[in-house]
Amino acid sequence: MTAADIAVPSAGSRKIRWLAIGIVLFLITYSGAWFLAANQIETRLSAFLTEKKASGSSAECDDMSVRGFPFRIGLFCDSVRLDDMTRGASASFGALRSAAQVYRPGHAIIELDGPAEIRFSPGMTVSADWQLMHASVQASLSGLNRTSLTYDQLAGTAMLPAFEDDAAPGDTHKVMFNAGHGEAHFRQNGPDLDAALSVDTFDLKLDNGLSLLPPVNASTDMTFVDRATLMERGGWKPGALRGSKGEMRNLTLDLGNGMVTSASGPFSVNDQGLISGEFSVTMKNIEGWRQNLVKVFDDEDGTVMVNNIANMLTALADGKNEATVKLNVRDGIAFLAFFPIGELPQL
């Protein structure tokens, strides 16, 4: 080998050198871009939250930071607070953590810690805590494509104004609730909105009394026609479901011991928020439902109503303990045959 051969680098070593230089330049550029994006998120979000205060709505993210370098990016807050002065509502939560892959920023995972304190005017408050609550969000520039929320070991208390005729001003009811697990899923399906909700072992107690019903497992799966726009930015607002229609594919309430009621059918919501529809309802263990519901509706009128409905169902089923009937709902009033049996809440 000559001195000239030693002095001149080989083609292979030059390629390795340029590759190393390229990797270093890429890492420097990528790192700079990540931290620039993180800074922009913090700066613009802070400016946005400050701007919202002028409109009567505000949100606070204590000790805001953007983390996740190098492969993720997400927003972190030590606590979260929301205020809507125009509606007299406020809410506070524990720490918030979020993360999205840098190559897929529109798909984020969010975790929210308790406890939560939610207040509505006048005189309505909700306090709650949970073991785990997280959400998955898939978003585009126009809004959400789909979102899911799950929680475990939810427990809380609600203080509600008393609405009885003889209630004095300022009287309240204390409602305690808990659930082992719950899920909520929403997605755009073409022009329609699909929704699926479920809760396991839901328990409700009123004024420190006994449970109103045995622990309930409940689920529903429905579609709102032409309401995919509710997932878009600014799409959801009070009364957004008015004037809509849809299909309830399944609604199931399970109290255990064979007490299962399911319903399905089309529905519509008028401009006043009143629901109408025709539903096929199957109730199993009618006698079990009767025995539990008379404990909830324990006044004379309520007990008579529960017994009358149970007797009608048993008669329609030829004396059997299971019945399938048509339940008609007209402008918020539910009818079994020609008899009104209840009123649905206004949306």
Side-chain angles (χ1 to χ4, degrees):
M1 181 179 294
T2 65
D5 293 331
I6 297 175
V8 179
S10 66
S13 65
R14 287 196 299 269
K15 290 180 180 179
I16 293 174
R17 184 182 303 164
W18 282 114
L19 177 61
I21 293 173
I23 292 174
V24 171
L25 290 175
F26 171 78
L27 293 176
I28 293 174
T29 303
Y30 175 83
S31 299
W34 191 98
F35 285 103
L36 176 62
N39 178 263
Q40 287 294 307
I41 291 173
E42 286 193 44
T43 302
R44 295 190 179 190
L45 183 57
S46 297
F48 174 77
L49 296 180
T50 301
E51 180 183 338
K52 290 294 289 183
K53 289 183 179 181
S55 64
S57 300
S58 66
E60 298 178 9
C61 171
D62 292 337
D63 198 18
M64 181 192 305
S65 63
V66 177
R67 309 175 194 170
F69 182 82
F71 302 118
R72 296 181 179 180
I73 190 165
L75 180 70
F76 286 68
C77 308
D78 285 348
S79 63
V80 176
R81 179 176 175 82
L82 308 174
D83 284 289
D84 188 339
M85 290 177 285
T86 59
R87 294 186 174 88
S90 66
S92 62
F93 304 91
L96 179 145
R97 299 172 296 277
S98 64
Q101 302 292 345
V102 292
Y103 57 83
R104 199 180 179 189
H107 185 191
I109 304 298
I110 303 169
E111 288 190 358
L112 183 63
D113 292 343
E117 295 285 341
I118 304 172
R119 299 178 181 274
F120 301 93
S121 295
M124 184 182 299
T125 63
V126 179
S127 303
D129 206 350
W130 49 87
Q131 187 179 88
L132 174 67
M133 180 178 291
H134 65 88
S136 173
V137 176
Q138 294 187 24
S140 62
L141 294 177
S142 61
L144 299 178
N145 294 324
R146 64 172 61 201
T147 183
S148 298
L149 172 71
T150 64
Y151 57 84
D152 291 318
Q153 304 305 320
L154 172 69
T157 301
M159 299 299 296
L160 308 177
F163 294 106
E164 294 87 352
D165 293 337
D166 58 350
D171 284 355
T172 61
H173 287 300
K174 181 179 181 180
V175 180
M176 294 177 291
F177 58 90
N178 60 73
H181 179 78
E183 300 185 11
H185 306 274
F186 302 91
R187 69 172 184 180
Q188 293 190 39
N189 184 6
D192 304 333
L193 173 64
D194 290 341
L197 310 173
S198 67
V199 61
D200 297 338
T201 61
F202 180 74
D203 184 45
L204 201 64
K205 295 182 177 71
L206 181 62
D207 292 329
N208 294 317
L210 300 175
S211 297
L212 296 181
L213 291 170
V216 179
N217 294 332
S219 63
T220 185
D221 178 13
M222 65 182 72
T223 293
F224 294 91
V225 177
D226 293 329
R227 282 299 186 270
T229 53
L230 296 181
M231 299 282 283
E232 295 179 358
R233 185 181 304 167
W236 181 259
K237 59 188 70 174
L241 293 177
R242 296 186 176 185
S244 67
K245 61 181 180 179
E247 179 77 20
M248 185 166 67
R249 286 181 288 275
N250 179 61
L251 170 65
T252 299
L253 301 175
D254 185 348
L255 271 64
N257 295 321
M259 290 180 288
V260 180
T261 295
S262 59
S264 61
F267 64 87
S268 62
V269 184
N270 67 14
D271 293 337
Q272 288 75 47
L274 300 175
I275 301 172
S276 297
E278 183 176 295
F279 304 97
S280 175
V281 179
T282 298
M283 176 176 283
K284 300 178 181 180
N285 194 353
I286 298 172
E287 184 58 30
W289 280 97
R290 180 210 300 261
Q291 294 175 6
N292 280 278
L293 290 177
V294 293
K295 299 175 184 177
V296 178
F297 303 97
D298 55 0
D299 61 291
E300 182 178 354
D301 291 341
T303 300
V304 170
M305 178 191 69
V306 170
N307 286 325
N308 286 341
I309 294 173
N311 291 336
M312 289 176 60
L313 291 172
T314 302
L316 291 171
D318 295 328
K320 297 178 182 178
N321 203 26
E322 175 182 336
T324 297
V325 297
K326 288 292 184 183
L327 184 70
N328 290 292
V329 180
R330 296 194 294 272
D331 294 333
I333 305 298
F335 292 85
L336 182 60
F338 301 104
F339 301 96
I341 62 172
E343 184 175 355
L344 275 63
Q346 189 174 11
L347 298 180

